[in-house]
């Protein structure tokens, strides 16, 4: 891997091109726990544009200014009122825009097999910045990095202001406007009259919260690619308790192939994603060599927008997520087959309905607290992001992204992020962060590696 030799060319503030029609937005019971989380850092790798890099920078600055007018909260700052309630002041203070050059790095250096190269972390700003810092720092930043034969656009957004759904809504809109759209296709909803609105107050120490996990532990990070075919095999195994073979009835295979993450019988059938998560839970647990009685946790974030009754607008802007912890003793998880763990995950997701969401809100109001991100007991896995997010809908005018990558934010032993595969056919990339010895064990675990395929480099 060549040295990145990242050179900061310029840094400026981008302001919305119109005055905000929104004055303030109150943080909700889903936003506030994220104040101890670091800014979300996600970005896209693109081929070089068919025009100069200097022209690209100008286009991006102009389109970003217009996009901020559609998302005025991101150009604001956090404030705390005298009663302790937190709000976004949509004051148009602007966001950071950085231009960086890494002339020795190529697209294939980023896509190389094996561990994600450390230089990827240099494609983002606001490293290790807690979301509470939005009181005195911009709530967003965009960094465009010129490579030898490509471009990386990295976006950092305050996690108390957006969840993954809102993050990609913003990014997609930014791309849409950069392509030349005069009107955006999906308008964000800034309504705060929802079940997440609360009068409960979370008290913070002077200076704000601290991060809830250690950022100094040695870690390895890899992208594991699972083709559509491999995931169908996992789904069949999870639902029918046996391996999918060439002799399997083609009608069953055809039925499974129509899943695309959205099962027709979602209340009875284990989904593709639940099957994949269960396999990962088993393989990581085995690689950790835990005592059989040690409780293991697989934590999943769920989007609550469609789980409420009545449903929230799918483009509700902010956090509308809750966490589902699934717990099983290591020995029991491994002694049973894949369908046993997959069924645990399936049941917990199906059960997370309107009443469960409301119960979670009431529980938080009784005891306001920050989200405990991390792996304190050494036996936890936290699944973030989603293969449903439209990450490849970020064509800026010369083709869809080659890959999605993330920064250093919110990473610890056991943090997993799910991205759709570039094929957008039901394949998925898992960004896996583990302790070095656990990663080595996972790489030697045939039970999961039989489903992993090699990602191709750009020719």
């Amino acid at each position: 891997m060549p040295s990145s030799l990242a050179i900061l060319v310029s840094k400026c503030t981008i302001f919305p091109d119109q005055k905000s029609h929104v004055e303030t937005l109150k943080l909700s019971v889903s936003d506030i726990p994220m104040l101890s989380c670091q800014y979300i850092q996600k970005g896209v790798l693109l081929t070089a544009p068919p025009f100069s890099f200097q022209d690209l920078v100008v286009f991006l600055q102009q389109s970003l200014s217009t996009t901020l007018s559609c998302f005025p909260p991101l150009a604001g700052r956090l404030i705390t009122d005298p009663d302790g309630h937190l709000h976004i002041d949509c004051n148009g203070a602007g966001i950071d825009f950085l231009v960086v050059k890494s002339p020795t790095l190529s697209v294939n250096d980023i896509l190389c097999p094996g561990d994600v190269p450390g230089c990827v972390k240099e494609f983002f700003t606001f490293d290790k910045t807690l979301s509470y810092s939005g009181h005195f720092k911009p709530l967003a930043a965009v960094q465009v990095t010129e490579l030898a034969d490509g471009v990386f656009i990295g976006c950092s957004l305050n996690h108390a202001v957006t969840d993954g759904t809102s993050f990609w809504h913003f990014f997609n809109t930014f791309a849409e406007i950069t392509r030349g759209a005069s009107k955006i296709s999906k308008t964000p909803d800034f309504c705060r009259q929802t079940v997440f609105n609360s009068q409960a107050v979370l008290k913070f120490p002077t200076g704000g919260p601290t991060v809830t996990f250690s950022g100094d532990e040695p870690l390895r990070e890899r992208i594991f690619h699972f083709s559509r075919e491999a995931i169908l095999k996992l789904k069949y195994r999870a639902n029918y308790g046996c391996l999918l073979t060439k002799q399997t009835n083609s009608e069953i295979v055809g039925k499974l192939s129509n899943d695309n993450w959205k099962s027709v019988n979602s209340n009875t059938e284990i989904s593709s994603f639940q099957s994949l998560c269960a396999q990962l839970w088993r393989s990581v647990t085995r690689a950790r060599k835990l005592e059989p009685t040690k409780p293991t946790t697989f934590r999943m974030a769920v989007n609550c927008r469609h789980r409420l009754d009545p449903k929230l607008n799918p483009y509700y802007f902010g956090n509308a997520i809750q966490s589902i912890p699934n717990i099983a003793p290591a020995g029991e998880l491994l002694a049973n087959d894949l369908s046993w763990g997959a069924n645990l995950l399936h049941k917990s997701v199906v059960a997370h309905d309107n009443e469960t969401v409301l119960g979670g809100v009431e529980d938080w109001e009784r005891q306001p607290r920050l989200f405990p991100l991390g792996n304190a007991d050494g036996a936890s896995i936290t699944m973030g992001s989603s293969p449903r997010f439209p990450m490849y809908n970020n064509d800026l005018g010369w083709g869809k992204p080659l890959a999605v990558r993330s920064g250093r934010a919110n990473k610890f032993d056991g943090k997993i992020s799910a991205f759709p595969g570039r094929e957008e056919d039901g394949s998925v990339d898992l960004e896996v962060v583990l302790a070095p010895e656990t990663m080595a064990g996972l790489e030697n675990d045939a039970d999961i590696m039989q489903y992993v395929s090699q990602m191709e480099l750009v020719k």
Side-chain angles (χ1 to χ4, degrees):
M1 172 63 60
S3 172
S4 64
L5 293 177
I7 303 164
L8 177 63
V9 176
S10 65
K11 178 181 178 182
C12 67
T13 301
I14 303 295
F15 302 98
D17 64 4
Q18 297 177 29
K19 186 175 179 181
S20 173
H21 60 281
V22 181
E23 292 185 359
T24 62
L25 289 180
K26 186 178 177 184
L27 294 193
S28 74
V29 300
S30 191
D31 298 320
I32 295 171
M34 300 299 167
L35 287 163
S36 61
C37 295
Q38 297 164 347
Y39 278 47
I40 303 173
Q41 295 178 321
K42 298 285 193 302
V44 295
L45 178 66
L46 301 153
T47 59
F51 42 80
S52 74
F53 182 71
Q54 290 73 21
D55 285 345
L56 173 63
V57 169
V58 173
F59 296 152
L60 292 179
Q61 289 175 331
Q62 292 171 344
S63 61
L64 186 55
S65 178
T66 302
T67 307
L68 288 174
S69 294
C70 302
F71 292 83
L74 288 174
R77 299 292 184 270
L78 299 182
I79 57 173
T80 302
D81 69 22
D83 296 323
H85 296 121
L86 292 107
H87 307 260
I88 306 169
D89 181 7
C90 304
N91 58 9
I95 74 170
D96 286 350
F97 183 85
L98 294 85
V99 178
V100 174
K101 291 195 175 187
S102 291
T104 62
L105 282 180
S106 71
V107 164
N108 281 338
D109 289 332
I110 310 307
L111 298 176
C112 64
D115 290 13
V116 176
C119 61
V120 171
K121 308 300 182 286
E122 298 175 6
F123 297 159
F124 301 89
T125 189
F126 289 146
D127 233 9
K128 298 186 178 181
T129 301
L130 295 193
S131 293
Y132 188 87
S133 303
H135 281 85
F136 50 87
K137 289 186 177 183
L139 300 180
V142 172
Q143 178 177 317
V144 53
T145 302
E146 182 182 23
L147 309 175
D149 56 354
V151 172
F152 192 94
I153 298 178
C155 191
S156 304
L157 297 189
N158 189 296
H159 208 334
V161 177
T162 65
D163 60 8
T165 298
S166 291
F167 178 99
W168 290 108
H169 184 191
F170 169 76
F171 211 135
N172 290 168
T173 305
F174 176 35
E176 185 177 31
I177 291 173
T178 303
R179 286 197 304 271
S182 57
K183 183 179 180 181
I184 66 173
S185 58
K186 301 176 178 68
T187 303
D189 176 14
F190 300 115
C191 173
R192 284 304 182 262
Q193 301 307 312
T194 75
V195 298
F196 295 116
N197 187 27
S198 174
Q199 293 302 309
V201 173
L202 176 60
K203 298 185 182 299
F204 293 94
T206 303
T210 57
V211 69
T212 58
F213 60 90
S214 170
D216 301 323
E217 57 187 347
L219 296 171
R220 284 183 58 195
E221 178 180 339
R222 277 196 64 177
I223 306 288
F224 292 95
H225 180 70
F226 297 85
S227 68
R228 177 181 181 81
E229 180 184 10
I231 292 172
L232 288 176
K233 290 178 180 178
L234 272 168
K235 182 178 180 182
Y236 187 89
R237 189 173 145 208
N239 278 281
Y240 297 96
C242 59
L243 295 176
L244 182 62
T245 68
K246 291 181 180 179
Q247 288 73 39
T248 301
N249 189 293
S250 60
E251 183 180 339
I252 295 176
V253 178
K255 177 185 174 184
L256 290 175
S257 70
N258 290 325
D259 176 344
N260 199 24
W261 305 116
K262 298 177 183 179
S263 175
V264 176
N265 304 307
S266 59
N267 288 336
T268 57
E269 187 177 75
I270 297 168
S271 74
S272 300
F273 192 52
Q274 291 156 7
S275 305
L276 179 58
C277 288
Q279 181 59 65
L280 183 73
W281 188 12
R282 287 166 51 83
S283 293
V284 170
T285 298
R286 184 159 41 237
R288 282 174 167 163
K289 300 178 181 178
L290 303 174
E291 291 294 325
T293 55
K294 176 75 173 178
T296 67
T297 303
F298 192 98
R299 188 177 291 274
M300 308 173 75
V302 293
N303 181 359
C304 298
R305 289 169 177 81
H306 62 285
R307 298 177 185 277
L308 289 165
D309 186 15
K311 298 176 182 178
L312 285 183
N313 186 315
Y315 303 113
Y316 168 85
F317 184 83
N319 286 278
I321 53 175
Q322 289 181 338
S323 177
I324 304 178
N326 300 273
I327 302 172
E332 192 171 3
L333 178 68
L334 296 177
N336 287 287
D337 61 14
L338 175 67
S339 60
W340 187 86
N343 198 44
L344 283 181
L345 302 182
H346 171 73
K347 286 182 177 179
S348 67
V349 171
V350 170
H352 209 88
D353 56 11
N354 178 68
E355 282 164 24
T356 307
V357 174
L358 296 180
V361 171
E362 293 169 1
D363 178 67
W364 189 90
E365 289 180 315
R366 285 191 295 270
Q367 187 184 2
R369 57 200 181 273
L370 296 167
F371 184 70
L373 199 61
N375 179 16
D377 65 356
S380 297
I381 297 172
T382 298
M383 175 62 74
S385 203
S386 170
R388 297 189 186 197
F389 288 158
M391 301 181 189
Y392 286 94
N393 288 8
N394 288 301
D395 179 352
L396 278 75
W398 66 93
K400 75 176 185 179
L402 300 171
V404 176
R405 292 291 183 268
S406 68
R408 190 176 282 110
N410 302 311
K411 289 183 176 174
F412 49 85
D413 175 27
K415 175 62 186 298
I416 318 295
S417 295
F419 305 154
R422 188 174 188 269
E423 302 89 341
E424 296 183 281
D425 61 351
S427 60
V428 66
D429 293 335
L430 287 186
E431 179 192 76
V432 178
V433 180
L434 293 170
E437 61 276 13
T438 305
M439 183 69 84
L442 185 68
E443 291 169 331
N444 288 311
D445 187 272
D447 199 27
I448 191 169
M449 293 304 294
Q450 65 180 311
Y451 299 106
V452 175
S453 54
Q454 184 71 49
M455 291 181 289
E456 293 186 5
L457 298 178
V458 176
K459 297 178 182 178

